[in-house]
Amino acid sequence: MSFAIERRHRLSYETFAREYLYPCKPVIVTGALDRWKALGRWTPELFRSEFSGMKVRIKDREYGQAGAGAAAPAEFTMPDFIDRVLASTEANPAPYFRNQDLFALFPSLRADVEPMPEYLRPNWLSDRYLHPRVGSILNRGAVIELYIGGAGGSFPVLHYDGAGTHAFLMQIYGRKRYIVFPPDQERFLYPSPEKINLSLLDDAEHPDPARFPLFAQATPTVFTLEPGELLFVPSHWWHTATMLTPSITISANVLNQSNWKELVAYVSHRQPNPLAAFASRLYLTAAGARRAWRDRAWRDQAWFAPVEPAPVEPAPAAVGEGHAG
Ligand SMILES: O=C(O)CCC(=O)C(=O)O
């Protein structure tokens, strides 16, 4: 039976942490982005007019088709790119401008996506680390990323996010179909031997059964993310997306005490030398323990805060209500 994703309206941090973050269970949160100016303001047309002088570079693999080859990046003017996004179809999808550093490329848009939802905190990706290489890798993962694409375009590969991180995908404009699989279905998803978090499947919804026979045993969960919704994809959950309309999304990755052990496993698994794997496990475990102590109040909110009462839905008016007796 496939996992059914829940939609929860503006749930408290405590409820989010206890029911989804620590158990590593995906959820869609509605209403969490309501205060953002971006909702309603960000459209493909806004990017075309406000950034008309900008060049957009997109690699072939980013054209939206799984398994596309690796040709040189193509360059478009922003107005040309947006025209392609608006004309995009399943048969001829626009290039997918994805995983772009939002604040580096579009600093003027920062205020439109503030405040970031509390669910993204604490985030240890942006911490300072004693080990400079660990620090630079983790800090790179802390950027807020932007995705703009058109109907029929897709993220190029089924994957889970690197370094054991959780992903938060925040839909600003348009609609996207996501497909997700829990970590225990990995055995049906053909992880690449070189990059363990990327699948070899040629198409995550309908892979070639002759090449990928085990996929028939996988049970995907497919759902649509609507504008204004936030999707939480926990560590090690396999996922990918296809756009149903022109679409603008932003994403954030998060590491903290809820998923630090995933980072430790991910890093040591990638160390070919057992001694180096042991040393990195030791260093990261200590670094995580220090931060878990520093941020214990966040974890305690998940364990010890009172559970909020379920929101009361107004009962549908019954026929004859108010005329009892
Ligand atoms: O295109 C999307 O929305 C999927 C993004 C994603 O999964 C990623 O960047 O890791």
Side-chain angles (χ1 to χ4, degrees), residues 268-288:
S268 48
H269 184 96
R270 288 160 77 98
Q271 282 286 1
N273 172 339
L275 206 62
F278 178 71
S280 63
R281 252 201 320 275
L282 213 59
Y283 168 73
L284 290 172
T285 303

Side-chain angles (χ1 to χ4, degrees), residues 96 99 145 147 155 159 161 169 176 178 239-241 249 251:
Y96 191 14
N99 299 101
E145 294 184 329
Y147 307 68
F155 195 82
H159 67 287
D161 286 17
L169 292 143
K176 243 174 179 172
Y178 282 87
H239 59 282
T240 192
T249 312
S251 76

